[in-house]
Amino acid sequence: MAANFTLFLVIFCAFFQLSRPFTVIMTDSGVPSTLIDGPQTGFSINKNGARTNPQEQDAVYDIMRATGNDWATDIPDVCRGRWHGIECMPDKDNVYHIVSLSFGALSDDTAFPTCDQTKSYLSESITKLPHLRTLFFYRCFTCNPQPIPKFLGQLGSTLQTLVLRENRHIGSIPAELGNLTRLRVLDLHKNNLNGSVPVNIRPGTTLRSLDLSGNKLNGSIPAFSFPVLNVLDMSQNLLMGSIPFTLGSCQSLVKIDFSHNRLTGSIPDSFSGLKELILMDVSYNRLSGPFPTSLSSLTSLQALILKGNQMGSTAIPSDCFDGMKDLMILVLLNMNLHGPIPESLGRLNSLRVAYLDGNHFNGSIPSNFRDLKNVSELRLNDNHLTGPIPFGREMVWKMGRKLRLNNNSGLCYNANNGFEDAFDRGIGLCDAHKPGSARTVQHLSNNTDGDMTTTINVSAGAVRKTSVSVRLSQLASLFLFILLSLQGK
C-alpha cells in the first residue's frame, strides 16, 4: 500500500507541477537490518529504559551545529526530543538509532529544522550514523555554495534516499555516489552542478527515482538500464547526443522528462516497450523526425509533450494515436509538422488538452473532433487548415477563449450550428447555398483613420450570384434605352 501511495504522489507532482515540488521519501523494509521496523519519530513515546546510541547522538549534535541549529545540543536524548526531521528505530536491545534526517522548510506545514543559509555546511559526522536510510537537505546552503561532499559515498551499505534539492551545490556530481548501492531515490534538482552524468551511478537494481534536473550538466545521457526505475528527470540541463535506446528496457518507468536540453536524433523505437509510462516530456530539444509512431503502443500514456522539436515535414499517420486510449495532454506546437491532422486524435475519449498550433497542418479539421466531449483546451491556430469547423455550439462555448483557431485563412463555420456570436476571430460563414463549397475569401481594408481593420467574408457562391445580378441589370438598362429611343421616333 505504501508503494502505491508513493507512486500516486509522484504522478500527482508530475502533472500538477507544484511550485515547490518535492521528492517522496521511501522506506524499504526489505533491506536486511538489525533494527525493528517501524520508524519512531520524535513524537513517539519510547519504552521505559530506551535510549539513543550515544555516538550517534553526538554525531547529530555536530550535524545540527553545522546547519546553525545549536539549540539541539540542549536536548538530552535526540530520539525523544519531539521535533520533526529526525526518525529513530530501536534494535533488539532497545537502543535507538537514527535512520532519517531532514532539513529545510518545504512549506508552512512542515517543521523540519531550517538552516542558516549563510554558513551551513554538510558535516562529515553524517558518516557516523551507520543505520541512516534517508538524508534530506532543502535550500540549506544557498548563500554558502559548496560541492556535494565525496564522503556521502561511505553510506553505501544503508542509505536509500538522498535529497539535496535547491541548495546551489557547485562542481560535479561525485563519482563516489556510485557506491550507494542500496539507493532508491537520488534527487539533486535545481543546483549549479556541471560536468557529465557519472556513468557509475548504477546502484544495483534498487533505484526508483533519479532527478538531476535544473543543473548545468553536459555530455550525453549514460546507457542506463534500471529495471525498477519509476521516475527519470534530467530536464533543464545542457545534455547532448541521442536518447539511449537502453531506456526501453526500464519497463517500470512512469515519468521521463528530458525537456530543455540539446538532444539530437530521434525517439528510440525501444520506447514502445514502456507500457507503464504515464508522462513523457522531451520538449525543446533538437530531435528530428519522422514522427515517432512507435509511441502508439503506450497504452498508459497520459501526457505527451514534444513541442519545440523540428520533427520534419512528413505527415503523421492517420492511425498514429489509436493505441493511446488514456492520453489526456498532447502538446505538439512549433514542430514543423505537415499534412492533415490525424483522425485518430478524434477517437481519444480521454483527451483534455491538445496544442497543435504553430505547424503546417492542412486539410480540414477531422469531423470526429466533435466527439471530443472532455476537451477543455484546443489550439489549432497558425496552421493552414480549411473547411468547416466541426464543433457544436455547446463545445465552442465551453472552451471559450481556450479554443484557438485564428490564422487559418480557409476555416469557416456553418450557419446552422448556431454560434455566430462565438467567432470573432476572423473566421467567416461557410457558403450555405452551395453544399460542399467552403472556400472563404477575406478582404481586409483600413478605414480613413487607419486605426481599424474591417474584415469582410464573401463566399464563392455569393460572388457568382452578384456577378449574374450585375449582368441582368445591365441588360434591363439596355432594353429600356432601346424602347425609349423607338418611342422618340
Side-chain angles (χ1 to χ4, degrees):
M1 182 175 178
N4 292 335
F5 181 68
T6 295
L7 184 58
F8 168 78
L9 287 178
V10 169
I11 297 169
F12 180 88
C13 294
F15 278 109
F16 290 91
Q17 299 179 357
L18 303 177
S19 59
R20 290 187 178 182
F22 60 91
T23 298
V24 178
I25 299 174
M26 296 183 288
T27 59
D28 184 4
S29 59
V31 176
S33 173
T34 60
L35 304 181
I36 299 172
D37 252 341
Q40 308 295 312
T41 68
F43 286 96
S44 300
I45 300 176
N46 295 331
K47 299 177 182 178
N48 293 333
R51 63 194 186 280
T52 301
N53 179 282
Q55 289 77 26
E56 294 181 39
Q57 176 151 302
D58 288 341
V60 170
Y61 288 157
D62 289 342
I63 296 166
M64 295 294 279
R65 280 191 289 263
T67 55
N69 293 290
D70 299 73
W71 53 266
T73 58
D74 295 330
I75 298 175
D77 191 315
V78 295
C79 287
R80 303 178 68 180
R82 294 181 177 271
W83 85 71
H84 284 299
I86 185 170
E87 291 184 358
C88 303
M89 291 174 63
D91 60 19
K92 58 183 178 58
D93 298 319
N94 211 24
V95 175
Y96 277 77
H97 302 275
I98 288 83
V99 297
S100 177
L101 285 176
S102 300
F103 296 87
L106 280 172
S107 69
D108 294 337
D109 298 325
T110 59
F112 294 161
T114 56
C115 304
D116 184 338
Q117 298 180 351
T118 62
K119 62 181 181 181
S120 291
Y121 65 94
L122 279 165
S123 171
E124 195 167 355
S125 291
I126 290 173
T127 61
K128 298 177 182 178
L129 302 176
H131 301 278
L132 191 66
R133 295 182 180 181
T134 295
L135 188 61
F136 186 102
F137 285 89
Y138 175 71
R139 294 184 177 178
C140 278
F141 319 109
T142 54
C143 298
N144 183 30
Q146 55 197 268
I148 297 174
K150 298 179 180 180
F151 61 71
L152 293 179
Q154 298 178 33
L155 301 172
S157 60
T158 60
L159 197 66
Q160 298 171 25
T161 297
L162 177 60
V163 178
L164 303 175
R165 194 175 181 90
E166 298 187 34
N167 291 306
R168 295 191 180 177
H169 287 297
I170 57 176
S172 58
I173 300 175
E176 285 77 6
L177 295 189
N179 297 328
L180 303 176
T181 56
R182 295 191 184 276
L183 204 61
R184 302 184 73 189
V185 174
L186 177 59
D187 187 339
L188 306 179
H189 167 75
K190 204 172 182 180
N191 288 289
N192 285 317
L193 299 170
N194 55 33
S196 59
V197 179
V199 295
N200 67 332
I201 298 185
R202 300 175 182 273
T205 59
T206 62
L207 194 66
R208 293 185 179 274
S209 178
L210 178 60
D211 189 341
L212 306 180
S213 60
N215 286 286
K216 299 176 182 177
L217 300 173
N218 52 41
S220 59
I221 300 174
F224 290 134
S225 182
F226 300 137
V228 295
L229 189 67
N230 297 135
V231 175
L232 179 59
D233 192 341
M234 294 188 177
S235 60
Q236 301 181 58
N237 278 288
L238 305 173
L239 297 170
M240 299 178 291
S242 59
I243 300 174
F245 73 92
T246 56
L247 290 177
S249 64
C250 302
Q251 297 185 6
S252 297
L253 275 170
V254 172
K255 171 187 175 182
I256 293 178
D257 191 345
F258 293 151
S259 61
H260 294 274
N261 278 286
R262 301 174 180 178
L263 300 173
T264 56
S266 59
I267 296 174
D269 290 340
S270 61
F271 274 30
S272 61
L274 301 178
K275 304 299 185 182
E276 304 296 323
L277 195 64
I278 292 178
L279 183 149
M280 179 177 174
D281 187 350
V282 294
S283 59
Y284 295 112
N285 280 282
R286 300 171 183 175
L287 299 175
S288 55
F291 193 86
T293 56
S294 60
L295 301 182
S296 62
S297 62
L298 302 184
T299 54
S300 297
L301 197 64
Q302 295 184 21
L304 178 61
I305 307 172
L306 305 178
K307 62 182 177 180
N309 290 287
Q310 299 300 303
M311 286 291 184
S313 59
T314 56
I316 303 176
S318 178
D319 59 351
C320 183
F321 298 96
D322 272 336
M324 302 183 190
K325 57 183 179 61
D326 290 336
L327 195 66
M328 294 172 21
I329 299 172
L330 177 65
V331 183
L332 304 180
L333 67 91
N334 295 331
M335 292 183 61
N336 195 33
L337 296 170
H338 287 63
I341 295 175
E343 289 188 5
S344 53
L345 278 179
R347 294 190 283 270
L348 299 179
N349 295 326
S350 298
L351 195 65
R352 283 160 171 74
V353 175
Y355 293 173
L356 308 180
D357 45 317
N359 287 291
H360 300 280
F361 287 120
N362 56 33
S364 60
I365 300 173
S367 59
N368 60 1
F369 268 40
R370 68 169 65 93
D371 300 324
L372 297 174
K373 304 301 182 183
N374 293 313
V375 167
S376 59
E377 188 166 2
L378 179 61
R379 296 185 185 179
L380 301 173
N381 52 290
D382 300 299
N383 282 288
H384 306 296
L385 299 172
T386 59
I389 296 165
F391 314 122
R393 179 186 181 90
E394 181 180 352
M395 187 174 183
V396 171
W397 283 100
K398 181 182 73 171
M399 284 190 279
R401 289 292 175 181
K402 292 184 178 180
L403 173 61
R404 300 188 184 181
L405 304 171
N406 52 294
N407 294 331
N408 288 285
S409 61
L411 286 179
C412 62
Y413 66 91
N414 290 318
N416 58 2
N417 282 13
F419 46 67
E420 291 83 352
D421 296 336
F423 288 112
D424 56 356
R425 305 167 174 89
I427 298 174
L429 186 67
C430 297
D431 181 14
H433 300 283
K434 183 175 176 58
S437 175
R439 185 168 57 89
T440 306
V441 181
Q442 291 188 348
H443 299 279
L444 305 179
S445 61
N446 292 325
N447 66 1
T448 55
D449 295 330
D451 60 352
M452 183 181 296
T453 300
T454 304
T455 302
I456 305 174
N457 296 286
V458 182
S459 69
V463 171
R464 289 193 296 272
K465 185 176 180 180
T466 301
S467 300
V468 172
S469 299
V470 168
R471 288 196 295 271
L472 289 174
S473 176
Q474 290 171 342
L475 288 173
S477 298
L478 180 59
F479 176 78
L480 181 60
F481 174 77
I482 295 171
L483 181 63
L484 291 173
S485 297
L486 291 173
Q487 289 175 346
K489 289 182 178 181

